[in-house]
Amino acid sequence: MTTSPAAPTPPAPHSFTFRLAMGLLGVLIAALTSGLNDRVSDMALADLRAATGIDYATGSWLVSAYQAAEVAAMMLAPWFAVTFSLRRFTLTVSLGFALIGALLPFAPNGTLLIALRALQGLFGGALPPMLMTVALRFLPPPIKLFGLSAYALTATFGPNMAASLAALWTDSVGWQFVFWQVIPPMLIACLLTGWGIPQDPTRYERFRQMDLFGMVTGSAGIAMLILALTQGERLDWFDSPLYSGLLLASLACLTVFAINEWFHPLPLFKLQMLSRRNLSFGLIGLSAVLVLTLSGSALPSGYLAQVSGFRTVQFAPLALTIGLPQLLVAPLLAALLNIRWIDCRWMLIAGATLIAGSCLLGTQITSDWARTNFWLIQAMQALGQPMIILPILMTATSVVAPPEGPFASAMFNTVRGFSSIAAGTLVEWFLSHREQFHSNVLLNAAAQKPWLLSAENGASASGSQPFLADGSVSSGENLSQFASMVKHQALVLGISDSYLMLIGFAALLILLTALLPRRVWPPQTLLNSSTTKTRI
């Protein structure tokens, strides 16, 4: 005779006090630090390779191992937080994250460095789900949207601060601080979390219904998929047996995982929740948003680095143009969404239109652009990004009851972690292939009109006319300049095409917003409405 699983017991309610607010601030600091650690180390990878003596392949695995472990942990963290208690679990992973950061500069070889980064990724990936969990559980309706705006900072503020920090550590302080930077904020986060977050009772009885099979297949499947995506370009995609094996094994594991989750009494993902249109839209919309946000970071930085020869410290102010205003824009938008007559769907459409407009400006890029040409694009991104992310969070969480918070947090953060990496891979692949296409077109056009590249004599030859009348090369320097001009122009055209692709994503998001989600009301207005009805 089998025993049916007990219904999940909702956690005891807590009044919102200054102490609890400080605890939430601690979890926010920990989540932001986790996101910064990933982006800063990625941007500083060339300096890290030079300092530690690791080769290109080892450096790529250093990034891949962290990201794969990070996303796998996002899938598992909410279950363990409920089982061991939110406070204890958050403190444990925060301290583990800081400890590994302290040890990383002393790794004697690339293999141990990769292993430590993977372990740190497990700890770091567990922190963003904790932020969403505490926001859904502890925040009262009047300030719930402000808590979600704090979570949105992990996607808008944190990543855009990474360039400045990477430049500071590698150019002015020391490469070790790329890893050590996490220690002070994590210690502060632990103090605030330990003091402010209430201690729940542990629930070890959940181990009797532990979804061990789902944990193994799900985390292994998503980790192998991340490894396949991040290593695909280097391994030449399906021409590599390793890539093909990783992809096929991940798809098999994730298929088995989905079947298991549907029938398991205590799953990691409660897939039945996807029948709620607002939640499904939130997950799909989040994926599109993470592609769109790359138009404000990857494309301008790629142009300035490869065409203008900028170092990280020189294009970091562009990222700050998006990051710093979020500290004011995000809470302001949350306050607007708290007004009952404002439909968050219209704010989302307005934000997507702003992003599409910034991308339309980006399609006009030329090889003569300087940093100042990007300011307006970045300003539109700074306003448009939170105008999309906050409504998506509001829409998705509106159909999630407090006891379902861990399920929603696991699904939302896993999709977010995977989509962020997939978006980067997509834009990088698209840009690379469009650059190759335009390079071939330019060279073919030049071959068909050789007289345009020929100078009358060696004295008048230049980078734009590297050949002489008889077809010989005027000089190796002129030929090298010509090759650089072709490469830069191909990159510029590829970036313009990438902006066009992102406009398509923005249009798709607008269409989905018009068709899929239902109207969502601010949380405190629903509370006021129910109170009024009760009095009547």
Side-chain angles (χ1 to χ4, degrees):
M1 181 176 178
T2 58
T3 309
S4 60
T9 305
H14 294 273
S15 57
F16 190 75
T17 61
F18 175 77
R19 182 169 181 171
L20 181 55
M22 290 297 99
L24 296 176
L25 177 61
V27 180
L28 173 61
I29 293 173
L32 286 173
T33 304
S34 169
L36 273 174
N37 176 69
D38 182 17
R39 295 296 295 272
V40 169
S41 57
D42 195 3
M43 289 185 168
L45 183 60
D47 295 276
L48 293 178
R49 284 174 45 213
T52 57
I54 59 177
D55 57 20
Y56 176 80
T58 304
S60 70
W61 282 107
L62 191 66
V63 174
S64 297
Y66 183 93
Q67 292 178 339
E70 181 182 39
V71 180
M74 290 177 179
M75 180 180 288
L76 306 176
W79 190 93
F80 284 100
V82 174
T83 304
F84 291 105
S85 85
L86 178 62
R87 180 172 176 267
R88 288 178 180 172
F89 181 76
T90 304
L91 288 173
T92 300
V93 296
S94 298
L95 290 172
F97 187 82
L99 177 61
I100 302 239
L103 296 177
L104 275 166
F106 303 106
N109 53 63
T111 302
L112 185 56
L113 190 62
I114 292 173
L116 286 175
R117 278 293 283 174
L119 184 57
Q120 191 182 40
L122 285 174
F123 289 128
L127 290 169
M130 298 303 98
L131 180 57
M132 175 169 277
T133 300
V134 297
L136 291 175
R137 177 181 168 189
F138 292 115
L139 292 178
I143 60 172
K144 182 179 179 181
L145 290 179
F146 292 97
L148 293 178
S149 72
Y151 177 82
L153 291 177
T154 62
T156 55
F157 173 75
N160 288 296
M161 297 296 295
S164 298
L165 287 174
L168 173 65
W169 305 137
T170 56
D171 291 358
S172 303
V173 183
W175 66 269
Q176 297 90 343
F177 285 85
V178 171
F179 300 122
W180 289 345
Q181 66 171 350
V182 305
I183 299 174
M186 276 300 176
L187 293 179
I188 295 172
C190 286
L191 289 174
L192 293 175
T193 302
W195 180 65
I197 298 296
Q199 178 59 56
D200 297 327
T202 54
R203 298 181 59 189
Y204 298 129
E205 72 278 3
R206 287 164 54 87
F207 279 103
R208 292 197 293 268
Q209 295 177 320
M210 184 179 185
D211 185 13
L212 183 59
F213 184 73
M215 289 180 177
V216 173
T217 55
S219 59
I222 198 69
M224 287 188 289
L225 185 56
I226 296 298
L227 291 176
L229 287 175
T230 53
Q231 292 292 318
E233 188 71 20
R234 188 181 70 84
L235 297 175
D236 202 15
W237 303 104
F238 286 101
D239 289 336
S240 167
L242 176 59
Y243 172 81
S244 301
L246 285 171
L247 185 62
L248 291 175
S250 68
L251 293 179
C253 285
L254 291 176
T255 301
V256 173
F257 168 75
I259 297 172
N260 175 79
E261 296 307 284
W262 186 267
F263 296 102
H264 198 278
L266 190 63
L268 299 176
F269 285 12
K270 194 172 182 180
L271 298 179
Q272 290 82 354
M273 293 172 64
L274 295 179
S275 62
R276 305 169 192 177
R277 291 171 56 175
N278 282 12
L279 181 60
S280 297
F281 167 76
L283 297 176
I284 297 171
L286 182 65
S287 302
V289 169
L290 292 170
V291 178
L292 291 175
T293 55
L294 289 172
S295 59
S297 55
L299 296 182
S301 62
Y303 171 86
L304 292 173
Q306 297 188 49
V307 176
S308 303
F310 279 19
R311 283 183 55 81
T312 305
V313 68
Q314 293 171 295
F315 60 74
L318 278 178
L320 290 178
T321 307
I322 297 177
L324 288 179
Q326 303 308 313
L327 298 175
L328 293 176
V329 173
L332 175 62
L333 293 178
L336 290 176
L337 289 175
N338 264 323
I339 301 174
R340 185 174 176 82
W341 58 266
I342 293 182
D343 189 336
C344 70
R345 294 175 298 182
W346 290 109
M347 181 180 287
L348 198 160
I349 289 174
T353 303
L354 266 177
I355 297 291
S358 72
C359 292
L360 185 61
L361 292 176
T363 61
Q364 309 304 311
I365 189 171
T366 69
S367 55
D368 295 327
W369 274 30
R371 190 169 60 186
T372 53
N373 295 97
F374 289 98
W375 290 124
L376 178 58
I377 293 175
Q378 299 299 91
M380 295 172 72
Q381 290 275 338
L383 186 58
Q385 288 185 17
M387 288 178 69
I388 298 176
I389 295 176
L390 267 178
I392 285 178
L393 290 172
M394 180 180 176
T395 300
T397 57
S398 67
V399 294
V400 177
E404 297 174 323
F407 299 121
S409 180
M411 289 192 288
F412 209 84
N413 283 280
T414 302
V415 169
R416 175 200 160 187
F418 167 76
S419 298
S420 178
I421 296 165
T425 301
L426 171 64
V427 173
E428 181 182 355
W429 173 86
F430 184 85
L431 177 58
S432 174
H433 283 262
R434 294 305 295 174
E435 182 182 353
Q436 293 175 16
F437 169 78
H438 287 298
S439 179
N440 290 332
V441 170
L442 290 171
L443 291 175
N444 287 336
Q448 293 173 5
K449 300 177 181 179
W451 61 87
L452 296 177
L453 304 177
S454 300
E456 294 182 0
N457 52 59
S460 61
S462 64
S464 58
Q465 291 182 313
F467 301 105
L468 300 177
D470 61 359
S472 61
V473 177
S474 60
S475 70
E477 182 181 355
N478 287 338
L479 188 61
S480 176
Q481 290 179 3
F482 173 72
S484 296
M485 290 171 62
V486 171
K487 178 177 174 58
H488 290 168
Q489 188 59 38
L491 175 65
V492 167
L493 293 171
I495 291 176
S496 179
D497 290 347
S498 299
Y499 275 119
L500 277 175
M501 179 192 70
L502 294 172
I503 292 175
F505 272 90
L508 177 62
L509 182 59
I510 291 172
L511 180 62
L512 287 174
T513 305
L515 297 177
L516 194 56
R518 302 182 189 277
R519 173 72 192 269
V520 175
W521 304 98
Q524 86 284 358
T525 64
L526 296 177
L527 183 65
N528 294 338
S529 299
S530 62
T531 303
T532 303
K533 290 178 181 179
T534 302
R535 289 176 179 174
I536 293 174

